[in-house]
Amino acid sequence: MLKMKPACERCNTRLGLIDDAFICSFECTFCPTCSEALNANCPNCNGNLALRPTRRSSPTEVAKSGFKAKLEKIL
């Protein structure tokens, strides 16, 4: 599972689950401003920085009521 880091590694800007952020294949994470300043190249591994996918909720959040029942019905 992709680790959604909460801050830019260069400037420490907070990055929420739905905020734009850029990552490399090693999940180094940068805000859009820093990614642009770095020419979309990771300074740690020299990999390309790509737009990180967004998440609507954290995987550790409790599922909404009725989810388990719906899942059991599907399975």
Side-chain angles (χ1 to χ4, degrees):
M1 180 184 320
L2 179 65
K3 183 175 181 182
M4 304 291 276
K5 295 181 182 174
C8 174
E9 293 184 29
R10 186 170 182 241
C11 70
N12 209 31
T13 296
R14 300 284 304 152
L15 299 169
L17 294 175
I18 60 170
D19 293 333
D20 283 344
F22 290 81
I23 60 172
C24 70
S25 61
F26 291 103
E27 298 178 8
C28 300
T29 305
F30 300 93
C31 69
T33 303
C34 289
S35 177
E36 186 177 331
L38 295 168
N39 295 318
N41 290 313
C42 179
N44 301 326
C45 67
N46 292 321
N48 294 330
L49 294 174
L51 188 61
R52 175 181 79 176
T54 59
R55 265 192 206 140
R56 302 239 180 263
S57 62
S58 171
T60 59
E61 288 181 11
V62 176
K64 294 179 181 169
S65 63
F67 176 78
K68 184 177 179 183
K70 289 177 186 176
L71 182 60
E72 288 173 348
K73 185 177 179 181
I74 292 170
L75 297 175

